[in-house]
Amino acid sequence: LRLISRCLAEEIEDQPQAIDQLLREVANRRDAGFRKTVLAGISEGLQGWKKAPQPASWALITSMLSPSTDSLVRELSAVFGDGRALADLERIARGDGDVDPETRLAALSTLIQSDADNLRRVCETLLTDQRMNVLAARGLSRFDDPEIGKVLVSRYRNFRGPDRPQVISILCSRKSFAEELLAAMKNGSISRSDLSAYQVRQIHSLDDSALSRTVGEVWGEVRDSPAEKMKAIEQTKRSLTPDVLRSADKSNGRRLFVKHCQNCHRLYGEGEKVGPDLTGSDRSNLDYLLGNVIDPSAVVDKDFRMTILLLDDNRVINGLVTEESDRTIKIQTATELLTLDKQSVEVRRVTEKSPMPDGLF
C-alpha cells in the first residue's frame, strides 16, 4: 500500500485523479493505520518536490486532521502550497511550545524543500541553536548573498566538530562562500586540514581561475598527470617499509576511514553502499591499494562517474547520482545525500572522473 501510494504520488501531475481517488478512500475509511501508510507513501513520492498540485480531495483530509497536530498532513500541506501549514512549520521549527528536536528538524527540512517565503529569516534565527544550526546553514545556502558566507565562516566554531564537514561543503558550493572560507584559512581562523580533497575539487568545479589559484596557495596543488601519479605511487610504496607498516596506528586508520570514506564505501557492514563494498577487496595488496587511492579515476565503471550539477540558485553540487525519477534526483556528496527537484537543475554534466577525488594523501 505504501509503495502504491508512493507510485501514484510520483504521477500526480499526469494522473491527478488517481491520487485524488486514493485520498477519498482514506477519508471514507477513517482507518488510522490505512491513513498513515497512504500518507507516508505519498510523502516519499513527493520527497524533493518544491511544489505539487493539491488534490481536490485534500480538503477532506485536513478537515479530519489539522496540519498543526499531524506531521505528515503538515508536511504534505506545505508541498501543496497551504500557507497555514507553512506558518505552523515555521512556528515548530523555531521551537515555540514543547516540541522535540526531531520534529523541529523535520519542520525546517520541509520549509527548505518548499522554499518558504520566510526561509532566510527563520534559518538566520536558528544559527544560534546547536541542534538546528547545520540544517539552518543548508537552508541559507539557497541564497546567493556573500554576507551569508561571512556569517557562516564567522560562526564556524559554533558548529559541533562532527558537523563541520557539512558546513565546509556548504561553503564550497558557491564562489562567494568559498572566497570567505579560503580567506579564513589564510588567516588561520579555520584550519586548512578541515578542507578535504573532495571539497577542493568542488571548489575547482566552480570554474573560477582566481579561486582555483587561491585554493592551491592555501591547501596545495593536486598533481593529476599520469606520470605524477605513478611517481607518487612508487614513492609512497617505498616509504611503506615493513617496519613502518608494523608501527601503523590501526585505530587512527579507522577514524580516517570514517571521516573520508564511509559516506560512500562499506567495510565490515559499516558505511554506505554508494561506491563498491571494500570488505572483499584486495586491501592486503599494496599495489592495488595505492593505485586505487592515488589514482581513483584510472578505471571508472560507468555507474560510478562523478556528476556536476548547477542549480537554479547558482549552487554547484558534485557527487554520485544514486537514484533518479522523472521529477527528482538523489546525489551523494562528500558529506550528505541530497534529494533535488529536477526543475531546480540548470546544467548537468557527467564527467569521466570517479567521485573519489585525487589528492587524498
Side-chain angles (χ1 to χ4, degrees), residues 106-118:
L108 182 56
S109 181
T110 304
L111 286 171
I112 294 170
Q113 177 182 317
S114 303
D115 206 11
D117 291 341
N118 292 334

Side-chain angles (χ1 to χ4, degrees), residues 143-156 167-168 170-192 195 203 206 208 210-211 214-215 218:
F143 301 95
D144 194 2
D145 184 347
E147 289 303 314
I148 290 174
K150 291 178 181 178
V151 168
L152 294 180
V153 166
S154 69
R155 299 193 62 83
Y156 182 71
V167 181
I168 294 290
I170 289 168
L171 290 168
C172 293
S173 66
R174 291 188 184 279
K175 176 178 176 290
S176 60
F177 293 3
E179 287 172 341
E180 293 297 328
L181 171 65
L182 295 177
M185 288 184 170
K186 265 188 174 181
N187 65 33
S189 58
I190 296 179
S191 171
R192 62 178 291 279
L195 189 64
I203 293 175
L206 295 171
D208 183 278
L211 205 57
T214 304
V215 78
V218 172

Side-chain angles (χ1 to χ4, degrees), residues 20-303:
D20 191 58
Q21 186 177 343
L22 179 63
L23 289 171
R24 288 184 185 280
E25 184 72 15
V26 169
N28 291 334
R29 283 202 187 190
R30 304 263 173 175
D31 179 329
F34 183 86
R35 179 181 65 241
K36 186 174 181 179
T37 301
V38 168
L39 295 181
I42 295 173
S43 179
E44 287 177 22
L46 298 180
Q47 185 182 13
W49 290 47
K50 285 185 178 180
K51 292 285 186 292
Q54 184 177 133
S57 55
W58 185 244
L60 294 173
I61 304 300
T62 55
S63 67
M64 295 166 52
L65 295 166
S66 168
S68 61
T69 58
D70 188 290
S71 60
L72 280 171
V73 174
R74 184 167 57 243
E75 291 164 17
L76 287 170
S77 291
V79 178
F80 294 146
D82 186 332
R84 292 170 302 171
L86 289 169
D88 282 336
L89 286 165
E90 183 178 333
R91 174 182 56 76
I92 291 166
R94 289 180 185 277
D96 296 348
D98 186 17
V99 186
D100 64 89
E102 288 302 316
T103 302
R104 293 181 64 199
L105 286 167
L108 182 56
S109 181
T110 304
L111 286 171
I112 294 170
Q113 177 182 317
S114 303
D115 206 11
D117 291 341
N118 292 334
L119 181 62
R120 178 167 180 170
R121 183 159 51 84
V122 173
C123 289
E124 286 174 336
T125 301
L126 294 174
L127 277 180
T128 58
D129 187 328
Q130 281 209 323
R131 293 168 297 186
M132 306 290 291
N133 57 5
V134 176
L135 189 57
R138 192 184 305 160
L140 288 172
S141 72
R142 288 178 174 264
F143 301 95
D144 194 2
D145 184 347
E147 289 303 314
I148 290 174
K150 291 178 181 178
V151 168
L152 294 180
V153 166
S154 69
R155 299 193 62 83
Y156 182 71
R157 294 293 165 194
N158 297 102
F159 294 94
R160 294 172 58 250
D163 295 330
R164 288 174 188 168
Q166 290 188 53
V167 181
I168 294 290
S169 288
I170 289 168
L171 290 168
C172 293
S173 66
R174 291 188 184 279
K175 176 178 176 290
S176 60
F177 293 3
E179 287 172 341
E180 293 297 328
L181 171 65
L182 295 177
M185 288 184 170
K186 265 188 174 181
N187 65 33
S189 58
I190 296 179
S191 171
R192 62 178 291 279
S193 64
D194 285 8
L195 189 64
S196 72
Y198 192 109
Q199 291 156 339
V200 167
R201 187 164 68 180
Q202 169 85 19
I203 293 175
H204 283 301
S205 72
L206 295 171
D207 203 23
D208 183 278
S209 56
L211 205 57
S212 294
R213 282 195 302 273
T214 304
V215 78
E217 295 166 3
V218 172
W219 187 85
E221 298 288 351
V222 176
R223 306 298 179 184
D224 58 2
S225 76
E228 288 167 330
K229 289 176 181 176
M230 289 301 298
K231 183 179 178 181
I233 289 170
E234 289 303 315
Q235 287 177 338
T236 307
K237 186 177 178 181
R238 283 197 300 271
S239 71
L240 295 174
T241 63
D243 286 342
V244 169
L245 292 174
R246 275 193 294 271
S247 65
D249 183 345
K250 293 182 180 180
S251 295
N252 194 47
R254 162 68 68 176
R255 286 191 288 272
L256 288 171
F257 176 81
V258 170
K259 180 178 179 181
H260 296 291
C261 315
Q262 192 168 284
N263 274 347
C264 293
H265 293 288
R266 179 164 288 210
L267 184 64
Y268 299 127
E270 294 185 22
E272 300 300 328
K273 295 181 179 179
V274 178
D277 191 319
L278 303 181
T279 308
S281 63
D282 195 8
R283 287 176 290 107
S284 60
N285 182 332
L286 198 54
D287 291 306
Y288 171 88
L289 192 64
L290 292 177
N292 277 279
V293 174
I294 294 176
D295 192 7
S297 296
V299 179
V300 187
D301 186 290
K302 66 180 179 64
D303 294 329

